[in-house]
Amino acid sequence: MMLPRCAVSVCHVLVLVLCLSAAEDFDWTKNNYGSFYYGTFPAGFSWGAGGSAYQTEGAWDQDGKGLSIWDVFSHRKGKIQQNETGDSSCEGYYKFKDDVSLMKELKLNHYRFSISWPRIIPTGIKSDHVNEKGIQYYDELIDTLMENKITPIVTLYHWDLPQVLQEKYGGWQNISMISHFNEFANLCFEKFGNRVKYWITFNNPWSVVVEGYETGEHAPGLRLKGAGAYRAAHHIIKAHAKVWHTYDTQWRGRQKGFIGISLSGDWGEPVDISNQKDIEAAERYVQFNLGWFATPIFHGDYPQVMKDFVGSKSVQQGLGTSRLPTFSPQEKSYIKGTCDFLGIGHFTTRYITHKNNPSGRSGSSYFADRDLAELVDPRWPDPGSEWLYSVPWGFRRLLNFVKTQYGNPMIYVTENGVSEKMLCTELCDEWRIQYFQDYINEMLKAIRDGVNVKGYTAWSLLDKFEWDEGYSERFGLYYVDFRSKNKPRYPKASVQFYKRIISSNGFPNQREVENWRRKSVETCSSSNQLLAAEEQRSTAANILRLIHDPLTSHMEMVTEIVVPTVCTLCILLSAIFLMFLLRRRN
Ligand SMILES: *[C@@H]1O[C@H](CO)[C@@H](O)[C@H](O)[C@H]1NC(C)=O
Ligand SMILES: *[C@@H]1O[C@H](CO)[C@@H](O)[C@H](O)[C@H]1NC(C)=O
């Protein structure tokens, strides 16, 4: 009955070899940066731009809309830069027809937007009340897109939970969100699914749970360190799976669409790719972010490394069970495979190194659980948001990681772009042109690596409300003058550039691409002058307002008057200094 020992181990080795060769592994130790690649995308590649309901719609209390957690959060003082709100934002609720013309001008294939849950179900609970006016708004938006041959890609949850659900149940802390969200999703499939074929359940759940329930920087502003985010994520993953099954069993047969989730992930590159500890730390960084949601959805359970690290830290803290919840076997098989396509939002990269975090009770936090430190290269361009360094090769690395980890799923890039943080108005956004050119090129290289990317969504169509950053960061292809009552839009230079990438379906050759850049920047300078004149007029109006009401906005005065004045003075002084120097030379 006893098998010779060596035969058993030969079997083991064979099984091991078979497993390894079946699952292609991501190679952390090779990073081929490569030079710019001239070439085109596969035929039928879908080009788009996007935005979301709370960031663009405005009309926060119009036509029967209920309150969302972001309405309430942004009205609390001290939560948002300059105490701004999304009350009117881009007035997208009224200007959607104009915006569809802008999309048409760009020749977009798709437009990504989100449905505001409280706009169509004011309390979030369907049996309470359905708001027909809200449904009518999205009906018209979708019809207008269809008339212009622009495919809608629709997100069901882009962060604006109905406030009643937060107050009554504690929001995503509570398991009852699953059935309420499912009813909302089901209503959307019923009303819009005849025209909408691409559904995204959640946008960037990492941000929802970490910034909403761990750091409190986002609505609902809770700081439940080390536990709240894990619990909220657990319910979001289950809610995603439930909605996928609802679509799959009740609607897919008739509507023939696709339903996925959109995850946002920075890339984490080991500081030293020859150091195993750094490689493991970088992998943890990605697993605690993208993998937290993608691994259950593709493989049925949390990444092993999350279970290990959160588990052992919880034990060290004297807790009886892990702060990371567990799925039952039934739940695992219910959740596994609930993704027709994976949405990827991506903006930036970090270098990662191993760092032990002491795990006392006070140290209990999502961030401490990862045992790592994030670093940036000071040479990376950093034109806008503080966190957003331009590192194009990280995009290709991330896409290849997704391919190897999750069985080469169909991918739509749902967000990619760069912001600016400028005091003077600037439509000639050359750094954005550079960012798009390089990131889109790395995506093209990833497709050549075999990654199954079907579409790309520039983030975003318009400047818009940037959550806790208010209006201080601008991601738009189109500039929005938020100080003007009707929120006029102006094209930045990147509109012309992106339009040419779309019409060529890629990058034909060096000469042509350089030509595009030159032409884009040429056309923007005249619009820049136009806008500057417009803004001068509104600044003059603001000065008058200040004279009448000097106490209201000292801050506004600093940015609108003092800064340009200082700019002008600097320029004058340098001119004088230069003249002085030249004279001395003569
Ligand atoms: C925001 O509101 C808080 C509380 O009222 C106030 O202290 C702060 O100065 C406000 N900030 C701005 C920029 O108005
Ligand atoms: C979920 O909501 C119910 C009903 O309000 C409440 O009794 C329960 O305590 C909530 N659970 C959590 C975890 O907040």
Side-chain angles (χ1 to χ4, degrees), residues 235-306:
H235 295 145
I236 284 179
I237 292 165
K238 288 188 190 181
H240 160 81
K242 173 108 186 154
V243 167
W244 184 90
H245 281 285
T246 297
Y247 189 77
D248 195 51
T249 55
Q250 296 177 40
W251 301 100
R252 194 194 296 281
R254 259 170 292 168
Q255 299 184 345
K256 304 200 165 26
F258 301 90
I259 178 162
I261 189 167
S262 177
L263 305 178
S264 292
D266 296 348
W267 177 244
E269 182 75 5
V271 168
D272 176 359
I273 53 175
S274 63
N275 180 341
Q276 190 58 28
K277 281 223 148 198
D278 279 356
I279 291 181
E280 283 166 16
E283 173 154 16
R284 272 201 306 285
Y285 179 78
V286 179
Q287 295 292 8
F288 266 80
N289 184 328
L290 185 80
W292 185 359
F293 301 92
T295 316
I297 288 167
F298 287 98
H299 300 306
D301 201 359
Y302 291 117
Q304 190 60 43
V305 73
M306 275 189 91

Side-chain angles (χ1 to χ4, degrees), residues 168-169 173-174 176:
K168 230 175 167 165
Y169 301 103
Q173 294 295 296
N174 201 301
S176 62

